[in-house]
Amino acid sequence: MPVAINGSGTITGVSVGGLPDGIIESAEIAAGAVDLAHHSASGSKSGTTFLAGDNTWKAAGGVTSRGMLRAGHTGGNTSLSNNSQTEVINLADTGGNNFDFDGWYNPSNGRYTPQVAGYYQFSAVVQITGGNGTSNFEWNAGIRKNGASSNSITAIMGSSDNNGWGAIPLAGIFLMNGSSDYASLYAYVYGTSGTVRDDESFFCAHLIHAT
């Protein structure tokens, strides 16, 4: 028996249990008969949201955080003890050419803790002074994830008669979890004490792929 709707709005031909699946095709629905006002979905619809495949309204635009950081000059030097790995602190993230787009860098402990999960490109130059005339003086620097030497981008330099300074370039990629993972600079000297010069050192990061 066909389904009929008469002029009074009475529907006939519908049995208990409703219409069978697939009985009404899109070609049989008049244009404009179903609009967003009649669609049931969780969330709030607006001019800046879209209806996702899971039947929820989501904000348009994706990830807005860029994870951009450049920390460097004017923060303050970091002293290095002989034969000891030291986390570099006090690089400034504001002023001059420095910036911290999302506020994820903490100058007081030198740690960058991004709040969007993904792959991040890190780079740095660490300027170390000390060891002038010290035989077999060695200095190195690294970018570490969560302070672990096993998750480190490291470069080592040394000299039998160091001239008192050295600049160490670093670059690499880490996968960060977007909550607790952090990255920071480490520096090391062997043979005598040294100093990380803030005026010649910098630490950079940016998000290259969100996960």
Side-chain angles (χ1 to χ4, degrees), residues 18-29:
L19 298 175
D21 291 343
I23 195 171
I24 298 178
E25 300 176 353
S26 58
E28 298 171 310
I29 301 175

Side-chain angles (χ1 to χ4, degrees), residues 46-72:
S46 72
T48 60
T49 59
F50 67 94
L51 183 61
D54 59 357
N55 204 37
T56 61
W57 295 102
K58 298 186 183 296
V63 176
T64 58
S65 299
R66 297 175 177 86
M68 296 189 299
L69 165 74
R70 187 191 190 280

Side-chain angles (χ1 to χ4, degrees), residues 60-87:
V63 176
T64 58
S65 299
R66 297 175 177 86
M68 296 189 299
L69 165 74
R70 187 191 190 280
H73 181 51
T74 73
N77 297 338
T78 298
S79 298
L80 305 175
S81 299
N82 181 32
N83 197 25
S84 177
Q85 290 283 351
T86 302
E87 198 166 17

Side-chain angles (χ1 to χ4, degrees), residues 30-121:
V34 179
D35 57 21
L36 294 180
H38 296 86
H39 187 88
S40 177
S42 60
S44 300
K45 59 180 178 292
S46 72
T48 60
T49 59
F50 67 94
L51 183 61
D54 59 357
N55 204 37
T56 61
W57 295 102
K58 298 186 183 296
V63 176
T64 58
S65 299
R66 297 175 177 86
M68 296 189 299
L69 165 74
R70 187 191 190 280
H73 181 51
T74 73
N77 297 338
T78 298
S79 298
L80 305 175
S81 299
N82 181 32
N83 197 25
S84 177
Q85 290 283 351
T86 302
E87 198 166 17
V88 177
I89 62 173
N90 291 330
L91 296 181
D93 57 354
T94 58
N97 294 318
N98 303 319
F99 52 83
D100 183 6
F101 187 87
D102 298 287
W104 296 339
Y105 178 73
N106 185 345
S108 65
N109 62 19
R111 297 178 178 181
Y112 173 75
T113 311
Q115 297 302 292
V116 172
Y119 294 89
Y120 287 76
Q121 172 75 45

Side-chain angles (χ1 to χ4, degrees), residues 6-211:
N6 62 31
S8 65
T10 302
I11 302 175
T12 61
V14 180
S15 60
V16 177
L19 298 175
D21 291 343
I23 195 171
I24 298 178
E25 300 176 353
S26 58
E28 298 171 310
I29 301 175
V34 179
D35 57 21
L36 294 180
H38 296 86
H39 187 88
S40 177
S42 60
S44 300
K45 59 180 178 292
S46 72
T48 60
T49 59
F50 67 94
L51 183 61
D54 59 357
N55 204 37
T56 61
W57 295 102
K58 298 186 183 296
V63 176
T64 58
S65 299
R66 297 175 177 86
M68 296 189 299
L69 165 74
R70 187 191 190 280
H73 181 51
T74 73
N77 297 338
T78 298
S79 298
L80 305 175
S81 299
N82 181 32
N83 197 25
S84 177
Q85 290 283 351
T86 302
E87 198 166 17
V88 177
I89 62 173
N90 291 330
L91 296 181
D93 57 354
T94 58
N97 294 318
N98 303 319
F99 52 83
D100 183 6
F101 187 87
D102 298 287
W104 296 339
Y105 178 73
N106 185 345
S108 65
N109 62 19
R111 297 178 178 181
Y112 173 75
T113 311
Q115 297 302 292
V116 172
Y119 294 89
Y120 287 76
Q121 172 75 45
F122 293 95
S123 61
V125 168
V126 180
Q127 170 84 27
I128 297 177
T129 60
N132 192 13
T134 300
S135 179
N136 297 318
F137 183 73
E138 176 187 319
W139 66 107
N140 67 51
I143 304 171
R144 293 188 178 186
K145 175 181 173 179
N146 298 331
S149 59
S150 57
N151 290 316
S152 180
I153 304 158
T154 304
I156 301 173
M157 302 178 70
S159 172
S160 60
D161 188 12
N162 181 257
N163 62 7
W165 63 273
I168 305 174
L170 303 160
I173 297 172
F174 285 133
L175 174 61
M176 312 296 281
N177 65 10
S179 56
S180 59
D181 282 347
Y182 67 89
S184 58
L185 291 179
Y186 275 76
Y188 170 88
V189 289
Y190 178 79
T192 187
S193 60
T195 301
V196 173
R197 292 282 302 272
D198 78 304
D199 57 343
E200 299 290 344
S201 301
F202 65 85
F203 179 36
C204 297
H206 69 275
L207 174 65
I208 56 176
H209 179 72
T211 57

